Amino acid sequence: MTTLTRRTVLATAATLPLAPAMAQQQPGMTTLVVPFPPGGSTDALARQLQVGLQARLGRTIVVENKPGAAGALGAVTVAKSPADGSSLLVTFDSHAVIPAILQRPPLDVEKDLAPVLLVGTAPYVIATNAQRPYRTFADVVAAAKEKPNTITYASVGVGTIGHLAMTLLAKRAGIEITHVPYRGGGPAINDIVGGHVDLICGSAALITPQIAGNTIRPIMQTGHQRLAVLKDTQIAAEAGFADFEALAWWGVFAPAGTPQPVVDSLSKAIKDTLSEPAAVKHLQETQQMTLIFGGPQDFSTFFARQIKLWGSVVQDNNIRA
């Protein structure tokens, strides 16, 4: 008797083509690896994909959380998986920082993974506790110049885009402010709401629910256009930081070497799933996401730019995880 294990299921799945006709064939399995703990925006995206892809691909879709090593642990898991569409990485903007932030990265994020789809982007938002006096980022700059290193800001971790964006802004403004890293958005939000730190730089998805509750006040956003829900909050360019942009982004990767027809089929299936009206509404309202749906080539170009931009900030400021 043959023992049915996850390995044998995946081996069987590897022999099945990714095509609409798959629904009539014996179903296989596809694992969506999320390199972060459950509960975050990337995990929510993967679970939203789970149901739609299951119907479109005729496969059993499993979401597996593999946090660790700044997201590299989950990325390595996918990179070492069969290049057949049976394992995908659903990840976040910090993926582009892996080459610079880790002294010995366990993978080459450009060579070991194949971009499938850039789902969307959202700006970062800098906010202050509602009891602090800051109304604009210019107020922060003035206070920091008067008393260097007395203003604190939270991020969701060392080397995250929120941390790097604030590092770059402080450098361009000629100020010194103190970084207080947290392990995730929940603890960071708790401390800005509680007044234990002066500022926070987090994705719009993290910040806007607290703004609605009047516990924190937005003072600047880092996209090129104002979000509708933050129509009264300056973008960085309006605050004197020309061409400055820091974006949260969400994307899907496959193992390098996955045949292009398989990558293209996956890209279309993911796009179609997230183009459903309910999915669009959810992503726009809960993540403040601008949907991009950039295909493999567009995603590859975007990703290379992100690696270059944030890698230089890490290196210039000697930042290490």
Side-chain angles (χ1 to χ4, degrees):
M1 177 181 290
T2 300
T3 301
L4 186 62
T5 65
R6 185 173 184 274
R7 180 171 294 181
T8 59
V9 171
L10 286 173
T12 302
T15 67
L16 299 174
L18 278 167
M22 180 181 282
Q24 281 77 49
Q25 299 174 2
Q26 179 181 354
M29 179 185 291
T30 292
T31 301
L32 304 180
V33 176
V34 177
F36 308 107
S41 64
T42 311
D43 181 67
L45 175 63
R47 294 181 192 282
Q48 191 164 33
L49 283 171
Q50 186 176 22
V51 175
L53 287 182
Q54 203 151 268
R56 282 181 169 82
L57 300 179
R59 285 176 174 249
T60 299
I61 307 295
V62 177
V63 176
E64 186 175 345
N65 297 88
K66 276 194 168 292
L73 182 60
V76 168
T77 299
V78 173
K80 292 183 176 180
S81 297
D84 55 13
S86 62
S87 186
L88 300 173
L89 179 72
V90 182
T91 193
F92 190 55
D93 55 38
S94 56
H95 186 67
V97 186
I98 288 173
I101 201 71
L102 298 181
Q103 287 188 320
R104 296 180 180 85
L107 81 164
D108 185 319
V109 293
E110 289 188 279
K111 292 181 179 179
D112 297 339
L113 293 165
V116 175
L117 189 77
L118 172 62
V119 175
T121 64
Y124 273 78
V125 178
I126 301 168
T128 183
N129 178 277
Q131 303 304 312
R132 297 299 197 271
Y134 315 118
R135 299 284 169 176
T136 66
F137 196 72
D139 294 337
V140 173
V141 172
K145 285 185 175 180
E146 184 177 346
K147 295 182 178 180
N149 280 323
T150 60
I151 295 175
T152 57
Y153 74 92
S155 79
V156 299
V158 174
T160 58
I161 302 301
H163 174 205
L164 301 183
M166 288 295 280
T167 300
L168 189 54
L169 284 168
K171 197 166 189 176
R172 287 181 61 171
I175 60 174
E176 295 178 2
I177 52 180
T178 301
H179 179 218
V180 183
Y182 290 82
R183 291 187 176 183
I189 283 291
N190 286 342
D191 270 14
I192 186 69
V193 170
H196 302 298
V197 287
D198 300 306
L199 306 168
I200 186 171
C201 185
S203 69
L206 178 66
I207 301 299
T208 50
Q210 299 301 324
I211 293 171
N214 295 319
T215 53
I216 62 177
R217 180 172 56 248
I219 59 175
M220 193 167 78
Q221 50 187 312
T222 64
H224 281 328
Q225 294 182 327
R226 295 188 184 192
L227 288 174
V229 295
L230 296 174
K231 58 184 177 61
D232 297 324
T233 303
Q234 286 183 322
I235 61 171
E238 294 169 332
F241 299 93
D243 301 321
F244 185 90
E245 184 180 51
L247 295 174
W249 57 263
W250 296 260
V252 181
F253 291 83
T258 302
Q260 196 60 45
V262 175
V263 171
D264 292 340
S265 291
L266 288 166
S267 186
K268 183 179 186 304
I270 295 167
K271 178 181 178 181
D272 289 348
T273 296
L274 298 179
S275 294
E276 294 286 345
V280 170
K281 178 179 173 65
H282 175 78
L283 293 172
Q284 290 178 340
E285 292 184 359
T286 65
Q287 308 295 349
Q288 300 302 320
M289 194 184 294
T290 297
L291 295 171
I292 305 294
F293 295 142
Q297 188 54 56
D298 289 342
F299 189 12
S300 179
T301 301
F302 172 88
F303 185 50
R305 288 201 305 265
Q306 291 291 299
I307 290 174
K308 182 178 180 180
L309 169 63
W310 299 118
S312 65
V313 176
V314 170
Q315 291 163 4
D316 291 348
N317 294 278
N318 195 30
I319 297 169
R320 285 288 177 267

